[in-house]
């Protein structure tokens, strides 16, 4: 069973920065996608950043509201993913979820989610 665990959330003032981390554990044959979504009460989960493995060349997509402020990175060997969040705004307040679509020979491709970490941007 694959598990994803986020860390690094908290309270930050507008204009500040935070770095979220996501640790993957369990048996992993191949990672198809890795990224971050966020959600506020009463709303659907919103794309923040998503890395996708493609035969034609891997891609990295960002949500429009976070482009040029948030930056995704990962260390595949260490099974870690990161989200550097700069120039934070109150509108960035949300629960941030790590997600990954992982292939194993016995399960096929399965999308996993972490439990989420709260990010609050406020004075």
């Amino acid at each position: 069973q694959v598990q994803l665990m986020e860390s690094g959330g908290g309270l930050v003032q507008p204009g500040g920065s935070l770095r979220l981390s996501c640790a993957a554990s369990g048996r992993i044959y191949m990672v198809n996608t890795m990224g971050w979504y966020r959600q506020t009460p009463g709303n659907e989960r919103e794309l923040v950043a998503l890395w996708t493995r493609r035969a034609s060349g891997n891609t990295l997509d960002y949500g429009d509201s976070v482009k040029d402020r948030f930056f995704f990175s990962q260390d595949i060997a260490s099974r870690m993913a990161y989200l550097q969040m700069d120039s934070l705004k109150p509108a960035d307040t949300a629960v941030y979820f790590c997600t990954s679509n992982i292939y194993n020979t016995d399960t096929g491709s399965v999308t996993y989610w972490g439990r989420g970490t709260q990010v609050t941007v406020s004075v």
Side-chain angles (χ1 to χ4, degrees), residues 3-63:
Q3 290 189 327
L4 303 175
M5 181 172 293
E6 305 94 340
S7 61
L11 174 64
V12 63
Q13 293 186 346
S17 297
L18 276 178
R19 188 191 194 208
L20 304 184
S21 299
C22 175
S25 62
R27 188 163 51 88
I28 298 173
Y29 184 82
M30 185 170 67
V31 176
N32 294 318
T33 69
M34 175 67 78
W36 297 88
Y37 279 71
R38 68 186 183 185
Q39 189 173 25
T40 53
N43 294 306
E44 295 185 355
R45 288 184 185 180
E46 172 191 18
L47 170 69
V48 177
L50 188 69
W51 173 88
T52 303
R53 181 190 301 274
R54 302 183 189 277
S56 57
N58 302 334
T59 59
L60 179 57
D61 297 301
Y62 289 96

